[in-house]
Amino acid sequence: MSKQWTDKRPMSPHLSAWKWHPTMLSSILNRATGIVLYFAVLAICVGLAFMAAGPEGFEKAKSVIYTPFGAVLFFAFAGIIKYHLFNGVRHLFWDAGKGFDPKFSNTLSILIIVAAALAAAALTYLLIGSLK
Amino acid sequence: MNDLRTPLSKVRGHGAANEGVQHHIAARVSAIILALITPFFIWGLMKALPAGYEGFMAWIASPFGAFTWLVFITAGLYHGRLGMNEVILDYASSHGARTFFTLVNMLASAGFWLVGVLAILKIWLGA
């Protein structure tokens, strides 16, 4: 790929220009979670079509959904969507010109990651509790 | 002398790429809609999952559930397409690759959206 790279613009993320810092991690995560969510919603649309066709597809999927692996999948999905949601709200504040202080930004980056993980853990805990 | 346009009007809306304001605003509007609907989507998912297939059907068949689903996948795929377009423009290495992948992105988001919407309408309206 790099052989045929003709674009003169610098390629993101600018790892040669920036030292690692939490805001950089949050930016990379924002894009990564966004890509995963896009494919997740595409897959959800296919899932909807199976659901609309009848219970057979769901019966088969049950052997994945209601297992520990299903709980891990739910935790991952919940964490990814919560992260993108929380960080997206921060992006809206950035658009309004607020929250650019580097120190605060770095702290908030960590807090958002922790909050998303905690929210995902709480949701997974609630879900497992309600499955009984 | 004959130019009646102000310098400001000539540059307004023109970033380095001569476009992008519409993209920026569209991404923000769909983001706000998603931020509002996602909690309802997660809440509905949490309620439906323990009840299995019937739970999902009852959720999607309820007017508010159908509304949640329609808004979620519409705003979600629109927002996702905009975001994926940015990724493609960042990393596709040639003009041809950019054209190809942005086209695939458009067709995939529109096609899967249609599949999802038809499924929701079928469950909701029982067609």
Side-chain angles (χ1 to χ4, degrees), chain A residues 113-128:
Chain A
I113 295 168
V114 173
L118 287 179
L123 287 177
T124 311
Y125 179 76
L126 284 175
L127 180 69
I128 292 172

Side-chain angles (χ1 to χ4, degrees), chain B residues 27-46:
Chain B
R28 269 64 195 172
V29 171
S30 53
I32 292 167
I33 293 169
L34 282 168
L36 296 174
I37 204 76
T38 300
F40 291 103
F41 182 78
I42 301 273
W43 176 64
L45 190 63
M46 299 280 295

Side-chain angles (χ1 to χ4, degrees), chain A residues 18-48:
Chain A
W18 295 103
K19 285 185 196 161
W20 187 89
H21 55 287
T23 318
M24 177 195 241
L25 174 68
S26 79
S27 169
I28 293 168
L29 279 179
N30 197 64
R31 178 162 277 198
T33 52
I35 292 170
V36 172
L37 284 171
Y38 182 50
F39 285 110
V41 179
L42 292 178
I44 283 171
C45 285
V46 176
L48 275 172

